[in-house]
Amino acid sequence: MTTKETYAITGMSCAACSARIEKKLNSLNGVKATVNLATEKAAVEFDTDKVDSALIIKSVKKLGYGAIKKDADSAKKEREAKQRQLRSLQISLIVSIILTIPFVINMILNMMHISTIMQNPILQFILATIIQFGIGWRFYRNAFLTLRSKGTNMDVLVALGTSASYFFSIYIAFFSAPGHGKYGLYFETSAVIITLILLGKFFEASAKSRTGDAIKKLMGLQAKTAHILREGKELTIPIDQVQTDDVIFVRPGEKIPTDGIILSGNSSIDESMLTGESLPVDKNIGDSVIGATINKLGTFQYRATRVGKDAALAQIIQLVEDAQGSKAPIQKIADKISGIFVPIVLAIALITFLLHLFITGDITSSIISAVAVLVIACPCSLGLATPTAIMVGTGIGASAGILFKGGEYLEVCEKINAVVLDKTGTITYGRPAVTDVVPFDLSEKEAIRLAGIVELNSEHPLGQAIAEAATKDKSLPQPEKFEAIPGKGVRAEVDGQAYFLGTRTLMREVGLQTTPLEDSLLRFEQDGKTAMLLSNKQKILAIIAVADTIKENAHAVVAELRKMGIEPYMLTGDNTRTATAIAKQAGIEHIMAEVLPENKAAEVEKIQKSGKFVAMVGDGINDAPALARADIGIAMGTGTDVAIEAADITLMRGDLQSISQAIELSRRTMRKIRQNLFWALFYNSIGIPFAAIGLLNPMIAGAAMAFSSVTVVTNSLSLRRFHPTDSHSN
């Protein structure tokens, strides 16, 4: 049996680390793993008949890293481990700075020809040794474990570079022949490099922690406790102790602990965190409630149906975590480069040393140039370029109700140049509504009131739409008699008088002529509306038109998609006349009407064959095949579970505007990734040659290396200035 588990990985320092762990895990029989440096997680899919979690954790530990399996307690363990790491790094950095400051002061004063006590080689040796083997022990340990497993990483480069400066200074100070002291000591070089690298690591870790803000915000939405009824007593328990079928009490102002069905009472609930809808939703007995939404008014009891990891919010959090932990295809470029980068750098450093020594005969300048190459070439920024941007991008999307199922979908979404929109429930609201009232010999208000009373007991969707329009402002009295006439309309008595509402056929059966109204009726029907006639026994009183109305922003969204270079299409099973009317209102030129559900995927394929990169947007079960067939499937979160499951992106708020927002977010994220990769590669391409020809001091190289990693993470974080819901975002 195949299963998928996530492990928190500790101790990784660069892209080479994540690449080595990934390679090791994938070498195990029946294992497929992806390791993400930015999230410090490994997503592992494995055959339980061949491998178990213990072997996976053991394999990671053999390489010198830690692994924590994700379970009910793992989030807490992971947070504690990261806090310990950050605290340890902070303490090491503070001590390293305190011990390094005397070296820096001495270096500055020496330039001014001022002597200090720090010129004493023994004092320099003591301070440098504490830094080299106390503070810097982490580099030696990790380098040893890496080399033992026949790999290389950033720690190997740092350990070699600083050791060269440190031991060469010992040679000059205590073992060199008279006259070699003219070279001076280079203890400060190794001390400053270690301090700068730790400073860069600290800034990087702090910045990386902010890339996960979206997950923290989502987790912060969860209720902490629940009031439940057990054995006749009301108890307040932690949310993680709530079980399926528990009866839960919710009072006004409280967060709903988990998903469930109302058993008694009623209320108005703020579901904006999930749907984006600012108005509270009325809930009664039998209605479902969602965990983390806020109870505004009434007190009610409900039965818990989905708890823990099965609850809606937990599944959203899991989806975002999976997306942040996945790899975008573009990351393969960085992974391939990182896999061979460190060995190449070691070779370049050795060649640099030998060439300098051969040309100048000066061992000091040869060592310094080789050390500069080792230090500046650390591939940290390259490994962080893609995952940090993916983390921020998916987090921004989640905050705006746009859920990407993986980093690969966030990447390919930018390629979309054609969007196929399902009509019902996507372009339209998916429910009929009164659009026009044309009264004769009475007011429009009276016409809709009468029609509402006539249809008050109707079970037909069109009748319910009329009743809903009439009861919007006030309640209506029940009709004295009601009769549904299948295929024709309804008859009802109001205040002792008979009224009819329905088709032309019904009017003719009553004995009324519809010929004078034919032009008006045809005009409504050409607009895709259903026109019904209200009458008494003597005359026709009004025409009432009902239709599935398009969403308010549909036309604006279609115009925006065109502005982005994306061609919109409309796909529907409705007749051509209705489809054309709706498409005209939305501003869509390409219409595919009267398409059977089983043929929707084929229509998407036709567009793909014309050279388009297609996104399909739908919300129904019959849209699932087309969603799966499209290059990107986008499900409206207000739709069915089947459609959401088949899609690559889910728009939780069911807002058409989210389509263009998702594409724009993808474009901006990919722009950041390309910027990050360019600067990471540009930095190494420029820095290594400068270091190799002796134009770069190792201390400056260390500062530049640290700065490059921080720059990449900061550039990714700058994406947070983009707010999808604000069209004026930068």
Side-chain angles (χ1 to χ4, degrees):
M1 185 180 74
T2 300
T3 188
K4 189 173 183 179
E5 290 178 350
T6 302
Y7 298 83
I9 306 296
T10 58
M12 291 192 294
S13 59
C14 69
C17 296
S18 57
R20 284 181 54 250
I21 297 170
E22 191 172 293
K23 185 178 179 181
K24 176 64 177 177
L25 291 177
N26 283 321
S27 69
L28 299 174
N29 189 20
V31 173
K32 186 179 179 182
T34 300
V35 180
N36 190 307
L37 176 63
T39 59
E40 296 179 334
K41 285 185 173 64
V44 187
E45 190 174 336
F46 59 95
D47 187 340
T48 52
D49 294 330
K50 300 175 182 177
V51 181
D52 59 12
S53 286
L55 179 59
I56 290 169
I57 293 172
K58 184 179 178 182
S59 299
V60 173
K61 287 184 175 179
K62 250 187 171 180
L63 296 176
Y65 306 95
I68 302 170
K69 179 184 172 183
K70 187 173 180 180
D71 53 29
D73 302 319
S74 65
K76 184 179 179 182
K77 291 178 185 175
E78 187 183 339
R79 283 196 301 272
E80 289 173 350
K82 284 188 176 181
Q83 286 171 357
R84 284 195 301 271
Q85 279 185 324
L86 194 60
R87 192 161 49 246
S88 172
L89 185 59
Q90 188 176 26
I91 293 169
S92 296
L93 175 61
I94 291 169
V95 174
S96 190
I97 289 173
I98 292 170
L99 296 177
T100 302
I101 286 174
F103 285 106
V104 176
I105 294 172
N106 179 63
M107 190 168 56
I108 294 170
L109 292 177
N110 274 350
M111 292 177 186
M112 300 166 63
H113 303 290
I114 299 174
S115 298
T116 70
I117 191 173
M118 278 299 295
Q119 288 180 327
N120 186 319
I122 295 176
L123 181 57
Q124 286 196 32
F125 167 72
I126 293 171
L127 292 179
T129 301
I130 296 172
I131 295 171
Q132 189 72 31
F133 298 107
I135 307 300
W137 178 249
R138 68 179 67 224
F139 300 116
Y140 283 104
R141 177 185 174 278
N142 293 339
F144 170 73
L145 292 170
T146 301
L147 291 170
R148 187 180 68 178
S149 60
K150 300 176 183 177
T152 52
N153 67 354
M154 183 195 100
D155 297 308
V156 173
L157 299 181
V158 174
L160 282 174
T162 57
S163 295
S165 296
Y166 174 81
F167 287 110
F168 185 62
S169 296
I170 290 177
Y171 168 75
I172 292 174
F174 303 114
F175 302 104
S176 65
H180 278 202
K182 66 180 180 180
Y183 293 126
L185 302 178
Y186 292 91
F187 284 122
E188 75 274 1
T189 300
S190 62
V192 171
I193 287 172
I194 287 173
T195 301
L196 286 172
I197 289 173
L198 286 178
L199 181 63
K201 280 287 170 192
F202 180 74
F203 284 150
E204 180 187 308
S206 300
K208 274 166 63 179
S209 69
R210 295 201 299 277
T211 62
D213 282 352
I215 293 289
K216 293 174 189 171
K217 286 179 183 176
L218 286 171
M219 294 180 75
L221 293 173
Q222 294 174 314
K224 303 295 186 291
T225 59
H227 310 301
I228 68 164
L229 185 67
R230 282 186 185 165
E231 297 177 358
K233 294 181 180 178
E234 184 179 335
L235 305 172
T236 300
I237 61 172
I239 186 68
D240 56 5
Q241 292 181 18
V242 176
Q243 300 173 8
T244 303
D245 293 329
D246 272 342
V247 175
I248 301 174
F249 293 84
V250 184
R251 297 178 177 87
E254 293 182 342
K255 281 186 178 179
I256 295 172
T258 189
D259 304 356
I261 303 291
I262 294 179
L263 299 175
S264 65
N266 57 72
S267 185
S268 184
I269 295 175
D270 178 0
E271 295 184 342
S272 58
M273 74 92 187
L274 189 69
T275 65
E277 176 57 56
S278 57
L279 295 175
V281 181
D282 291 334
K283 299 283 185 176
N284 295 294
I285 294 171
D287 289 340
S288 61
V289 293
I290 302 167
T293 55
I294 300 171
N295 181 31
K296 302 294 284 186
L297 297 174
T299 298
F300 63 91
Q301 297 179 24
Y302 76 97
R303 178 174 58 83
T305 55
R306 295 192 298 181
V307 301
K309 63 182 177 60
D310 296 321
L313 182 62
Q315 290 182 340
I316 291 172
I317 292 171
Q318 184 61 54
L319 187 64
V320 177
E321 283 186 334
D322 289 346
Q324 292 188 341
S326 65
K327 285 191 178 182
I330 197 171
Q331 192 172 338
K332 292 177 183 177
I333 299 170
D335 289 347
K336 285 179 181 177
I337 295 171
S338 299
I340 59 172
F341 196 71
V342 176
I344 290 173
V345 168
L346 291 172
I348 293 172
L350 179 60
I351 293 169
T352 297
F353 172 76
L354 294 174
L355 281 176
H356 273 266
L357 189 61
F358 176 75
I359 294 169
T360 65
D362 188 338
I363 191 170
T364 301
S365 66
S366 301
I367 289 175
I368 294 301
S369 296
V371 169
V373 170
L374 290 172
V375 172
I376 201 167
C378 294
C380 306
S381 56
L382 192 62
L384 292 167
T386 298
T388 52
I390 292 291
M391 283 182 71
V392 176
T394 52
I396 290 171
S399 299
I402 302 167
L403 302 183
F404 292 88
K405 285 192 177 177
E408 63 269 33
Y409 306 118
L410 182 61
E411 176 178 336
V412 299
C413 191
E414 71 155 355
K415 300 175 184 176
I416 291 170
N417 54 18
V419 171
V420 178
L421 301 163
D422 177 60
K423 182 185 80 70
T424 306
T426 301
I427 296 176
T428 67
Y429 286 104
R431 59 183 185 273
V434 174
T435 58
D436 304 89
V437 178
V438 182
F440 308 113
D441 299 329
L442 75 169
S443 69
E444 181 177 321
K445 188 175 181 181
E446 179 61 17
I448 194 67
R449 189 189 80 86
L450 270 175
I453 296 172
V454 170
E455 293 281 13
L456 202 57
N457 295 323
S458 174
E459 295 181 356
H460 194 283
L462 298 180
Q464 290 174 347
I466 293 171
E468 186 179 329
T471 55
K472 191 177 292 182
D473 299 321
K474 60 180 180 179
S475 60
L476 298 174
Q478 284 287 335
E480 291 148 22
K481 290 182 181 179
F482 173 82
E483 178 189 358
I485 306 168
K488 297 174 186 177
V490 297
R491 177 189 181 279
E493 284 190 14
V494 180
D495 297 330
Q497 185 172 353
Y499 290 91
F500 304 87
L501 183 57
T503 64
R504 297 174 178 86
T505 304
L506 179 61
M507 295 299 112
R508 286 195 287 269
E509 288 181 2
V510 174
L512 302 174
Q513 286 295 320
T514 61
T515 306
L517 304 176
E518 243 356 274
D519 288 345
S520 297
L521 294 171
L522 284 172
R523 189 175 67 251
F524 285 130
E525 288 169 353
Q526 284 168 357
D527 289 339
K529 300 172 182 177
T530 300
M532 291 178 284
L533 298 162
L534 171 67
S535 78
N536 54 26
K537 288 185 177 180
Q538 289 77 39
K539 60 182 177 178
I540 294 175
L541 302 173
I543 300 174
I544 298 176
V546 178
D548 181 6
T549 55
I550 73 165
K551 294 179 178 177
E552 292 175 3
N553 61 350
H555 193 279
V557 170
V558 167
E560 189 174 348
L561 288 171
R562 279 215 180 86
K563 193 176 178 182
M564 295 170 70
I566 299 165
E567 193 61 41
Y569 294 73
M570 189 178 82
L571 180 64
T572 180
D574 282 356
N575 64 69
T576 303
R577 187 175 62 190
T578 302
T580 302
I582 294 293
K584 185 179 179 182
Q585 292 177 56
I588 297 174
E589 296 174 4
H590 302 286
I591 307 164
M592 294 168 284
E594 300 181 28
V595 180
L596 296 173
E598 60 268 26
N599 294 333
K600 285 187 175 183
E603 292 296 328
V604 169
E605 190 173 4
K606 283 180 188 176
I607 302 172
Q608 289 173 317
K609 286 179 178 177
S610 70
K612 298 284 189 181
F613 196 90
V614 181
M616 169 69 194
V617 186
D619 73 330
I621 292 173
N622 60 3
D623 297 323
L627 289 168
R629 182 67 188 85
D631 297 293
I632 289 288
I634 302 176
M636 306 300 277
T638 49
T640 65
D641 291 342
V642 176
I644 292 170
E645 185 63 33
D648 307 310
I649 301 170
T650 299
L651 308 180
M652 294 303 298
R653 295 174 179 176
D655 184 0
L656 277 175
Q657 191 74 45
S658 297
I659 300 167
S660 55
Q661 290 167 358
I663 297 169
E664 180 61 23
L665 176 59
S666 170
R667 290 178 176 181
R668 289 178 183 245
T669 303
M670 291 309 299
R671 198 180 306 149
K672 289 295 179 188
I673 289 174
R674 292 187 185 100
Q675 289 171 2
N676 288 347
L677 288 173
F678 170 78
W679 287 114
L681 293 168
F682 177 80
Y683 155 81
N684 281 313
S685 300
I686 297 297
I688 291 174
F690 269 84
I693 60 178
L695 296 177
L696 206 58
N697 182 288
M699 288 183 285
I700 297 174
M705 187 277 292
F707 180 73
S708 71
S709 294
V710 175
T711 299
V712 162
V713 178
T714 304
N715 188 46
S716 294
L717 286 171
S718 70
L719 185 62
R720 296 198 299 181
R721 291 201 299 266
F722 171 59
H723 302 288
T725 52
D726 180 5
S727 59
H728 303 291
S729 293
N730 294 320

